[in-house]
Amino acid sequence: MSGQGADRVDVRRHNLSLVLRLLASGGPRSRAGIAAVTGLTKATVSSLVGELIGRRLVRERGPESAQRLGRPATLVELDGSHVVTLGVEINVGHVGVLGADLRGNAVYERRRPLAIEASDVDRVVSIVVEEINRAAGFLHDRHCMVAGVTLAIPGVVDDDRGVVTFAPNLAWRGVHLRQLLAGRLHVTGEPAMFNEANLGALAEHRVGGHGAVQDLVYILAGDGVGAGVIVGGNLLLGVGGGAGEIGHTTVQARGRLCTCGARGCWETLIAARGLLHDTLPDEAEPMLADSKLTAESRVAKVTARAHAKDRAVIDGLTAYGRWLGIGLANVVNTFNPSVIVLGGFLPDIAPWVLPEALETLVRNALAESARTCRIELTRLGFSPSARGATIHAAERVFADPMVVAPTG
């Protein structure tokens, strides 16, 4: 293709993206309304809308309801019901796959427990391949196209090279994950990969009811602890993608040994292991060694005892709340966010730990920063990371609608 021809394609791609994003964010509009907002000519908009309809990304909705002189204009709106992105969560005890259409509707969901050591990279990757291909087959049978896949990883990730730099709870270091997946997936395009807490923060910001918030921290507590940080409406990633690893900030000079190799990390106190040692010390290690138990089921044993008013468990949750509050104070002092959203298993234990955590936060954070920060519980369930991964993957379509092949 000549340089001039390539330029025309790039302009077309940009304009298709412009129209698609407008309909996604602003709702249904007439062709004339799209032209008025974008500054494109009506003829250009008509051509672009026709192409987006041909790619099943846009559909005609019907005439405008407002009474006007002359023939009412036909509204067009985001469709994408047959265009699906997959969010794949890889964690210590499970691999989960969520499929969502471009409107964000979940159309596929499955979680597969891992009854193997997460450090067995080859076997975990094989399971990931099986689950992605299973989802792709299910969607293909329903005439849906998988337009992108994003992997949610509990660690530091280099998406440009397709490498998991360090995921301590998986015991993965320098794993060339994209290379291991190459040629094995029944989907078009290479999978992207992103830190799970960053994806959780993305989901909270986009669909968790915090869209108007410009500064947000999402804290994910499970087998490990991580955070996704939104600053000025954008994810804070850091030079090597390692921003937000607050689980590995030191809160005890000579504390427990962490999976990262250091001692006294916040993660050692508020991840699942720390919670179990505080509340069920005699049962903690056998429960952690049982690969059949998920993080949710382990926490459920704690909450069941708390509901039964087990004094030792409630005292342990209070102690846990103090350590949670100390870490939250550090987050408030470091990032001065408008809101901190607690995810993972934290909403399950919130009734017993939040009172102590909030008191500790107020005692240890700068007063003005603490006063202006809300602490909220996620409304997106146990794994917003998978939801964020579908949003991340969908960005590929919104940036380049041409990745979706036209029908017919």
Side-chain angles (χ1 to χ4, degrees):
M1 184 182 293
S2 68
Q4 191 173 23
D7 288 344
R8 282 198 296 270
V9 171
D10 286 342
V11 170
R12 182 77 173 181
R13 180 179 290 113
H14 172 269
N15 289 339
L16 287 167
S17 173
L18 185 65
V19 172
L20 190 62
R21 289 186 191 277
L22 176 63
L23 294 173
S25 62
R29 293 175 186 268
S30 66
R31 289 167 174 80
I34 295 170
V37 173
T38 61
L40 300 170
T41 67
K42 291 180 181 178
T44 298
V45 168
S46 182
S47 174
L48 293 169
V49 168
E51 182 171 342
L52 290 170
I53 289 174
R55 295 179 189 274
R56 296 195 296 182
L57 296 171
V58 162
R59 64 188 174 196
E60 291 187 335
R61 174 174 172 170
E64 285 184 293
S65 58
Q67 295 295 322
R68 294 183 181 179
L69 293 175
R71 183 179 177 183
T74 299
L75 295 174
V76 292
E77 64 181 358
L78 179 71
D79 183 3
S81 56
H82 292 85
V83 177
V84 176
T85 57
L86 298 180
V88 182
E89 186 179 25
I90 303 174
N91 227 308
V92 174
H94 70 272
V95 170
V97 181
L98 176 67
D101 66 20
L102 290 191
R103 288 173 170 268
N105 301 311
V107 296
Y108 179 90
E109 189 167 9
R110 174 176 157 85
R111 177 181 281 202
R112 177 171 170 176
L114 285 180
I116 59 172
E117 291 295 326
S119 58
D120 190 340
V121 175
D122 290 338
R123 291 186 68 191
V124 172
V125 169
S126 292
I127 289 171
V128 170
V129 169
E130 289 174 15
E131 291 304 315
I132 292 175
N133 289 341
R134 180 191 182 105
F138 173 90
L139 294 165
H140 180 268
D141 290 344
R142 284 151 184 80
H143 309 290
C144 294
M145 170 198 174
V146 177
V149 177
T150 293
L151 309 171
I153 309 293
V156 182
V157 176
D158 183 343
D159 182 50
D160 290 338
R161 296 191 301 130
V163 175
V164 179
T165 308
F166 185 37
N169 289 299
L170 296 178
W172 289 12
R173 187 186 289 274
V175 174
H176 290 257
L177 183 55
R178 188 176 293 135
Q179 182 178 318
L180 293 173
L181 294 170
R184 301 170 67 181
L185 302 180
H186 301 161
V187 297
T188 58
E190 292 185 329
M193 54 189 68
F194 222 59
N195 172 268
E196 63 172 355
N198 285 333
L199 291 169
L202 180 63
E204 293 293 345
H205 191 243
R206 294 283 187 87
V207 299
H210 305 292
V213 174
Q214 293 297 298
D215 298 278
L216 172 152
V217 177
Y218 167 73
I219 295 177
L220 174 62
D223 292 294
V225 175
V229 183
I230 302 281
V231 177
N234 298 306
L235 273 169
L236 177 68
L237 300 178
V239 175
E245 289 292 341
I246 60 170
H248 299 293
T249 55
T250 303
V251 294
Q252 281 186 317
R254 288 181 288 275
R256 298 169 182 158
L257 181 66
C258 183
T259 54
C260 73
R263 286 191 176 275
C265 293
W266 192 36
E267 178 174 299
T268 65
L269 295 159
I270 72 156
R273 182 178 294 273
L275 172 68
L276 293 175
H277 276 289
D278 278 346
T279 57
L280 302 172
D282 296 334
E283 303 172 50
E285 286 306 320
M287 288 173 65
L288 290 164
D290 187 349
S291 61
K292 296 189 180 76
L293 291 177
T294 63
E296 296 100 314
S297 61
R298 293 183 182 111
V299 173
K301 292 196 174 189
V302 174
T303 57
R305 298 274 190 92
H307 278 298
K309 302 191 183 326
D310 184 314
R311 189 71 254 166
V313 169
I314 292 174
D315 288 346
L317 286 167
T318 301
Y320 177 97
R322 282 194 290 275
W323 285 114
L324 176 61
I326 287 171
L328 292 178
N330 290 337
V331 171
V332 167
N333 288 339
T334 302
F335 298 107
N336 187 207
S338 298
V339 59
I340 298 174
V341 183
L342 304 181
F345 62 70
L346 292 175
D348 296 335
I349 61 173
W352 300 279
V353 304
L354 267 191
E356 185 68 27
L358 294 178
E359 286 186 19
T360 305
L361 164 61
V362 170
R363 286 197 303 270
N364 289 276
L366 295 173
E368 182 62 21
S369 297
R371 186 184 66 79
T372 57
C373 179
R374 305 190 312 275
I375 307 298
E376 298 190 4
L377 306 178
T378 183
R379 290 174 279 177
L380 298 179
F382 200 85
S383 298
S385 303
R387 181 79 65 89
T390 66
I391 295 169
H392 183 270
E395 179 58 27
R396 177 182 178 223
V397 179
F398 286 109
D400 181 10
M402 290 182 175
V403 300
V404 177
T407 59

